[in-house]
Amino acid sequence: MDSSYFARLKVDSAEAVIDKFYDTLIDTNRGYNFFVDWDKVKRNVEEYKIEFNILNTLIGSKNFDSDLRKILIEYPQVIPAIPILLAIRERKFKVVKDFIDDSSDTVTYDFSKRKLTSNDIDAITEFFNKTGLKRFFLELSSNSIQDYVTGIEVGMDTNARKNRSGHAMEMVLKPIIEDIIAKQRASYTMLYQKQFKYLEDNFDFKVNSSIKNRKADFIIIKDNCKVINIEVNFFSGSGSKPQEIVDSYIERQNELRENGFEFIWVTDGIGWKDQKNQIEKGFERVDYLLNLHFVRTGLLEEILWKI
């Protein structure tokens, strides 16, 4: 085990390092940015803010169908904004006319911006009636479609939490690594979520075919001559078997060594609590194994300077 562990963690044995690893495991990888991606919400709402203001004129309309038809004719740019009112991203989709009628066909709706025919306008007007959008404008909406869509976007963004959960460790480590690099005690370049062949195509490093198409969480290029791959994961106890996880990272290090590259594995999660033998194997076989507490003590920074 590298001597950096002992000095940084203030312990004097490998066993004490492993004990410290277990004592500092966390049971969640959720940060405050896990819940809603507000930048994404703002971006999606502002994309159609003019169109939403036009649609605002339909709120409480006394002649809804007539006013809707007029808007569709005079402002066809509102057409792509209509599906999001029902939390739909697609602009073209099918709807079954009648589930009770076994001879009923499907209707295809196309909300791409274009000059509408009379039949298109009839179809969209019918769509407003049958989906309840007309009722929403007349009975439920107050005075801002943009505020309503903001709520929709927040709700739709929660569906992306699964993806954010899978990338949460990367989201935690990325600013930490960026901060280390910003100190510029050496020349560093950070690549995020790139395949190793990117090194061959852009930095003239030779990369074996065994890892060329593999994607790395982080690739650090130090002084334009040394490559360090940092992989991160969070183990809650479900999903992959712990032995398979440890073995996969041991194998990753072996493959990187064949290319002359260094490897750091950052993992955390309460799932490791009952897997001490696997983590012990990880410490024995992986040169640099850290959890988030180890990273926060400055150990990752020290290792990056040292490699």
Side-chain angles (χ1 to χ4, degrees):
M1 184 176 288
D2 191 90
S3 60
S4 300
Y5 284 91
F6 307 131
R8 180 65 59 172
L9 300 175
K10 297 180 174 61
V11 296
D12 57 7
S13 69
E15 292 77 12
V17 170
I18 295 172
D19 287 341
K20 177 77 76 173
F21 182 94
Y22 276 94
D23 290 342
T24 54
L25 287 171
I26 59 176
D27 58 5
T28 181
N29 59 352
R30 293 179 179 179
Y32 288 110
N33 59 357
F34 166 82
F35 300 98
V36 177
D37 184 344
W38 292 106
D39 290 335
K40 176 183 172 184
V41 169
K42 181 181 179 182
R43 187 167 59 249
N44 289 344
V45 171
E46 289 189 343
E47 181 180 1
Y48 293 117
K49 65 180 180 180
I50 294 174
E51 289 77 8
F52 295 146
N53 283 328
I54 294 171
L55 290 172
N56 277 339
T57 62
L58 290 172
I59 297 174
S61 171
K62 302 297 185 184
N63 301 290
F64 185 87
D65 289 3
S66 175
D67 289 342
L68 173 60
R69 289 171 181 275
K70 185 177 180 180
I71 287 174
L72 294 174
I73 294 169
E74 296 183 5
Y75 306 101
Q77 67 265 34
V78 306
I79 299 169
I82 292 172
I84 196 63
L85 301 178
L86 294 170
I88 299 170
R89 296 273 186 221
E90 299 92 336
R91 292 185 181 177
K92 190 172 183 179
F93 50 86
K94 294 181 178 181
V95 178
V96 177
K97 267 189 175 182
D98 188 345
F99 277 102
I100 298 176
D101 183 356
D102 59 7
S103 64
S104 179
D105 206 349
T106 59
V107 181
T108 299
Y109 289 96
D110 184 358
F111 290 94
S112 302
K113 180 183 176 182
R114 66 194 192 282
K115 185 176 181 179
L116 299 175
T117 67
S118 177
N119 287 338
D120 291 332
I121 293 173
D122 288 342
I124 293 177
T125 302
E126 181 184 50
F127 181 83
F128 267 74
N129 277 274
K130 292 190 172 180
T131 59
L133 275 177
K134 178 178 179 179
R135 183 186 176 198
F136 163 73
F137 276 92
L138 297 182
E139 300 178 20
L140 302 175
S141 184
S142 54
N143 57 10
S144 174
I145 297 301
Q146 187 166 325
D147 288 349
Y148 164 72
V149 172
T150 299
I152 285 179
E153 286 291 345
V154 170
M156 293 178 74
D157 187 66
T158 59
N159 293 326
R161 285 180 185 171
K162 183 176 181 181
N163 289 334
R164 282 200 292 275
S165 180
H167 294 286
M169 286 286 284
E170 297 160 31
M171 293 165 64
V172 170
L173 263 293
K174 191 168 183 283
I176 295 175
I177 295 172
E178 289 171 339
D179 183 62
I180 293 171
I181 291 173
K183 294 178 181 178
Q184 296 181 343
R185 283 162 54 187
S187 173
Y188 285 90
T189 300
M190 184 185 79
L191 306 177
Y192 177 63
Q193 287 292 318
K194 295 289 187 183
Q195 292 179 315
F196 283 100
K197 66 180 180 181
Y198 189 88
L199 295 171
E200 198 165 72
D201 297 339
N202 296 273
F203 293 91
D204 295 326
F205 285 100
K206 183 170 178 55
V207 180
N208 292 348
S209 59
S210 61
I211 65 168
K212 188 173 291 188
N213 294 316
R214 298 269 190 89
K215 184 176 282 189
D217 291 334
F218 301 95
I219 298 174
I220 310 297
I221 302 170
K222 183 177 181 181
D223 294 327
N224 294 316
C225 63
K226 182 164 289 188
V227 173
I228 306 162
N229 172 210
I230 302 176
E231 290 296 311
V232 302
N233 79 305
F234 186 86
F235 182 47
S236 63
S238 60
S240 301
K241 295 179 180 179
Q243 180 177 341
E244 294 173 352
I245 296 173
V246 174
D247 289 345
S248 70
Y249 286 112
I250 293 171
E251 180 61 24
R252 168 63 71 95
Q253 177 173 268
N254 293 338
E255 291 173 330
L256 290 169
R257 280 175 174 169
E258 293 175 1
N259 291 266
F261 301 161
E262 299 285 350
F263 179 61
I264 300 171
W265 177 24
V266 181
T267 186
D268 217 310
I270 207 70
W272 292 119
K273 277 290 187 181
D274 298 323
Q275 303 297 331
K276 194 166 186 178
N277 60 327
Q278 293 300 325
I279 286 298
E280 286 174 347
K281 180 169 72 171
F283 272 106
E284 290 171 3
R285 305 280 296 279
V286 176
D287 290 341
Y288 303 105
L289 171 56
L290 299 81
N291 64 14
L292 288 177
H293 174 76
F294 285 17
V295 170
R296 287 193 292 265
T297 65
L299 184 56
L300 176 61
E301 181 175 356
E302 184 172 337
I303 291 170
L304 285 174
W305 297 142
K306 188 174 184 176
I307 290 178

